[in-house]
Amino acid sequence: MIADGADIIDVGGESTRPGAQPISATQEIERVVPIIEALTTRFAIKIAIDTSKPEVMTAALAAGASFINDIRALQVNGALEVAAASSAQICLMHIQGEPHNMQDHPQYNDVVAEVKSFLLKRINICLEAGIKRERLIIDPGFGFGKLLRHNQLLLRNLASFATLGLPILVGLSRKSMIGQLLNLPVEKRLFGSLALALIAAEQGASIIRVHDVRPTVEVLKTWYAVMYD
């Protein structure tokens, strides 16, 4: 991934895909810490820890991670305090429900307004806890308690999230919305993933979380060179 052009490596030890069951903090630490230590020993690249557990955040930061990627936006008891005491960048994501049930019956009156309102509240809580604004990043949480129509509306209106004044991270790679749009299994969703990455970049996303690094980098470099260089 580094050779293919990745700027950040996101390390996670607990699945958060729809239907996933939680694991203990101990299990998670045992999975992620050796990987983070090995990466930081060999490569000069930013490492993100993908977790909601304060114990895992603490262990990962001690091992060399410098970015907290939290699908629960620091809502787990103790997570806000760990993040505030660190110097790490923090990504606050929106989720409705929990991974094991989030896709059962997600409901919104106005998905864009509600996600934006949630993120604004979490931003303000972080600021009140002493976390500087320049450390914060937001993620609308595509696929996390959202139906296809919700995801479409969020991506179509992603540029409106710029009013929150923070960089935007998106994770769309290989997700079920592509499968629903194209009727394709997960291993055949590369081209759909590239299309969504390009749309996200055009809508103002600063960080795009992907599985297929080189194809995505080439698409975005080409787009940027034509439009902005």
Side-chain angles (χ1 to χ4, degrees), residues 2 17 38 61 83 106 112 124 129 132 150-151 161 172 176 191 193 200 215 227:
I2 295 168
R17 64 170 57 90
L61 293 170
V112 176
N124 288 333
K132 293 183 178 179
H150 301 141
N151 290 319
F161 283 79
L172 292 156
S176 61
F191 299 126
S193 297
M227 297 303 295

Side-chain angles (χ1 to χ4, degrees), residues 2 7-11 32 35-37 39-40 43-50 60-61 63-68 88:
I2 295 168
D7 296 305
I8 303 168
I9 301 294
D10 192 46
V11 178
V32 301
I35 295 171
I36 294 169
E37 289 176 341
L39 287 170
T40 54
F43 304 105
I45 191 166
K46 184 181 291 292
I47 306 296
I49 177 62
D50 189 338
L61 293 170
S66 59
F67 188 124
I68 297 169

